[in-house]
Amino acid sequence: RGKALQSRPAFTLVELLVVIAIIGVLVALLLPAVQSAREAARRMRCTNNLKQIGLGAQNFHDVNGNFPSGSKLTSPPDTYYSNWAINILPFIEQQNLFSRYDDTVTNVHANNKAVRETFIDTYSCPSEIKPKQILTPESASPNGSAQYMIGSYRGMSGVSATGFDQWAGFPSEVVVNMAQGPGLRGMFHNDWVGGPTKPERVATITDGTSNTLFVGERSTRTRQVRGTFWANSFNLYALSGAYNQSATLLPDYDACGRIASDIAQCKYGWGSFHPNLLHFAYGDGSVRPVMTNIDMRVFTYLATIGNGETVQE
């Protein structure tokens, strides 16, 4: 006869619960590290996007002798054509798409539908919570409305004088800022035929390229129809301004609106889903973070090209 089967000890209920508890603790310890690693990877990709955008603007300057306009229009009437993000497409390996944009007609014209609705990875931060959406912006340009692919980055238009009187605004508002002095100008402002401003050059950045913001993050958790649309040449959606108000750095349009002293600060605001910071491309081609607790006076100093302020690192 074979040997009698020997009994095999098994886990008791208490031992099983202890093992489960240990696994739970290990997972709890591991998840933050995984999330941190993922966020570090997203930040790296976002930084690389802005690096490509900054270099694209520099290469545009090398070829054309100036940087692109924030947006190009004729006035009167306010007729919008291309913008900075469209114009640097050949310099971020998007020549074929650029060739499809018809700058002889308005931005909202049917000829430009394919460009307006195209997703470009370089223009989208990987931290966007709802990427690759084609939406109709909440405000239509004077030329009418159209749908656009969302984006994550806006050009710096300059410092607001009062309310909507800023470099991202209508031509009449730019005239108001001209009276305030050229030091309010940012790198990417509106330019129109016969107007008082022209596209900027390296020589006009008297504050120094390393002290001047070019392009930064603009994402919002609420009201994405008030977010960024990279191919929209109407000033509200591819350009933002600088205010002495911290609400403008919130990645939440509705939250900004509850505390801002002027809703323009939210329409022309910034925002990032990276914890406590936003990434900006500077005029020298570098990409550096702006902390959300920055002194907002310093932020307005960085926004202008020639106001003569000294900014410490």
Side-chain angles (χ1 to χ4, degrees):
R1 294 175 179 270
K3 294 181 179 179
L5 294 176
Q6 296 180 348
S7 61
R8 183 184 304 169
F11 279 113
T12 66
L13 179 59
V14 173
E15 290 171 329
L16 180 61
L17 292 175
V18 169
V19 171
I20 293 174
I22 292 173
I23 293 173
V25 170
L26 292 174
V27 170
L29 292 172
L30 183 62
L31 279 178
V34 171
Q35 291 297 331
S36 178
R38 288 177 176 173
E39 171 55 21
R42 288 192 291 264
R43 281 190 59 186
M44 185 177 297
R45 284 184 56 196
C46 186
T47 298
N48 185 60
N49 287 348
L50 283 165
K51 184 71 173 179
Q52 291 185 59
I53 290 170
L55 292 176
Q58 294 283 357
N59 290 333
F60 182 99
H61 186 286
D62 290 344
V63 172
N64 297 279
N66 55 260
F67 293 103
S69 299
S71 63
K72 189 187 88 172
L73 65 157
T74 59
S75 179
D78 300 324
T79 305
Y80 290 82
Y81 293 89
S82 61
N83 70 9
W84 68 268
I86 295 169
N87 283 324
I88 69 168
L89 284 175
F91 305 99
I92 60 169
E93 301 182 345
Q94 294 290 337
Q95 176 64 55
N96 290 340
L97 185 63
F98 178 75
S99 299
R100 300 182 67 181
Y101 190 80
D102 185 354
D103 202 29
T104 66
V105 296
T106 62
N107 181 253
V108 299
H109 193 278
N111 290 5
N112 294 321
K113 174 180 170 64
V115 176
R116 292 194 309 262
E117 298 181 1
T118 296
F119 173 79
I120 297 179
D121 190 63
T122 304
Y123 288 158
S124 180
C125 176
S127 290
E128 278 288 349
I129 54 177
K130 294 180 180 178
K132 297 185 180 181
Q133 289 194 89
I134 297 174
L135 303 173
T136 301
E138 190 164 283
S139 294
S141 80
N143 312 120
S145 62
Q147 289 194 313
Y148 293 83
M149 174 62 68
I150 68 168
S152 304
Y153 309 112
R154 290 191 185 184
M156 174 59 80
S157 65
V159 175
S160 171
T162 55
F164 286 98
D165 295 333
Q166 59 171 304
W167 296 99
F170 297 103
S172 59
E173 295 162 351
V174 176
V175 172
V176 172
N177 271 343
M178 286 293 289
Q180 301 286 328
L184 292 177
R185 288 205 309 270
M187 177 48 55
F188 296 114
H189 47 71
N190 278 354
D191 295 307
W192 70 97
V193 177
T197 61
K198 293 180 173 61
E200 302 299 340
R201 297 174 291 112
V202 168
T204 63
I205 311 175
T206 56
D207 282 350
T209 56
S210 62
N211 295 322
T212 303
L213 300 174
F214 266 34
V215 178
E217 294 186 81
R218 170 45 168 166
S219 297
T220 174
R221 185 170 287 104
T222 58
R223 299 276 288 282
Q224 238 178 340
V225 290
R226 279 289 182 188
T228 297
F229 299 96
W230 71 264
N232 193 334
S233 63
F234 186 47
N235 52 76
L236 284 166
Y237 297 105
L239 300 174
S240 282
Y243 300 83
N244 193 12
Q245 296 281 335
S246 60
T248 63
L249 303 184
L250 290 174
D252 189 319
Y253 183 89
D254 289 343
C256 174
R258 287 192 290 269
I259 61 176
S261 58
D262 190 315
I263 195 62
Q265 298 160 11
C266 309
K267 293 179 178 179
Y268 294 101
W270 307 90
S272 165
F273 296 128
H274 306 297
N276 306 317
L277 60 85
L278 306 87
H279 292 111
F280 275 85
Y282 288 72
D284 61 355
S286 66
V287 178
R288 306 197 298 276
V290 167
M291 308 308 293
T292 53
N293 64 352
I294 187 175
D295 183 328
M296 294 305 291
R297 292 173 302 172
V298 174
F299 185 70
T300 60
Y301 296 163
L302 293 169
T304 59
I305 64 172
N307 221 19
E309 309 97 344
T310 299
V311 180
Q312 298 296 324
E313 183 68 29

